[in-house]
Structure formats: C-alpha cells, structure tokens
Amino acid sequence: VWASACLIGMCFGAINPLVFTVAAEAEELGPALLGVSLGTIISLGSIAGLLIPVAVGQFLGVLGQATEQRFQVVWLVTAAWLAGIFFSALALKETGAAARALQGDPGVQP
C-alpha cells in the first residue's frame, strides 16, 4: 500500500502540466481547436472529480464496515491507473524547444 501511495503522490503533480503541454504543443490542433481541447480536458477532470469520490464511497460502503482489503483495492486501482499514465507519458516524443534545437532550427538555442 505504501508503494501505491508514493506513486500516487509523485504522479498527481506531473499529470496536469503534462496533459496541458501535450495539448498546447499538438501542431495538428491549431489555435482554433486548442481552446476546445483544453476545455474538454478541464471538463472531464471536473466531472471525474465529482464522480470518483461517489464511486469509491459506493465501493467502500459505510466507513465503519469497510474492510482493509477494500481500501487496498482502491489504492491499487488508483496506482495502476497512474502508472499507466506515467508509462504512456514516457512514450511521448519531445516536441518542444529541445526537439527543435536537435533538428537544427536556427531560432532555438540548445
């Protein structure tokens, strides 16, 4: 359980900037669709923030009757979800200034 708690803590601070950076650097979107994509990301995050505590509460039941195994399931599912996001992020290619400098863009210094 401690490993999953550590993974959750490390990933929460990295997920939001990563998601917004990926959307902002996607050349396929362009300026017109960037606002739509970021609005969708923010909306889905807000809906998840509303529904996930309700779902976890339904799974755990009354806290006086919740078992340790159910709490462990919640932690492990959360850790697995965040590990999936983490490993997906590792597969992303660099698109920022560092990638442009490596490609020989004269306007970017390494």
Side-chain angles (χ1 to χ4, degrees), residues 2-24:
W2 292 106
S4 63
C6 181
L7 181 63
I8 290 167
M10 288 188 300
C11 288
F12 272 135
I15 290 173
N16 280 339
L18 175 69
V19 169
F20 290 119
T21 301
V22 169

Side-chain angles (χ1 to χ4, degrees), residues 2-107:
W2 292 106
S4 63
C6 181
L7 181 63
I8 290 167
M10 288 188 300
C11 288
F12 272 135
I15 290 173
N16 280 339
L18 175 69
V19 169
F20 290 119
T21 301
V22 169
E25 290 186 353
E27 293 177 5
E28 302 85 19
L29 290 177
L33 294 177
L34 180 60
V36 174
S37 65
L38 291 177
T40 303
I41 292 168
I42 292 169
S43 296
L44 291 175
S46 296
I47 291 169
L50 175 70
L51 296 179
I52 288 175
V54 174
V56 170
Q58 289 293 320
F59 178 74
L60 290 176
V62 179
L63 286 180
Q65 299 172 352
T67 63
E68 181 180 347
Q69 289 79 19
R70 286 188 174 225
F71 279 103
Q72 289 176 351
V73 168
V74 169
W75 278 104
L76 293 175
V77 167
T78 305
W81 178 264
L82 291 173
I85 293 172
F86 174 76
F87 289 114
S88 296
L90 290 178
L92 292 174
K93 66 177 185 163
E94 174 65 48
T95 59
R100 290 191 301 270
L102 289 175
Q103 294 171 354
D105 187 349

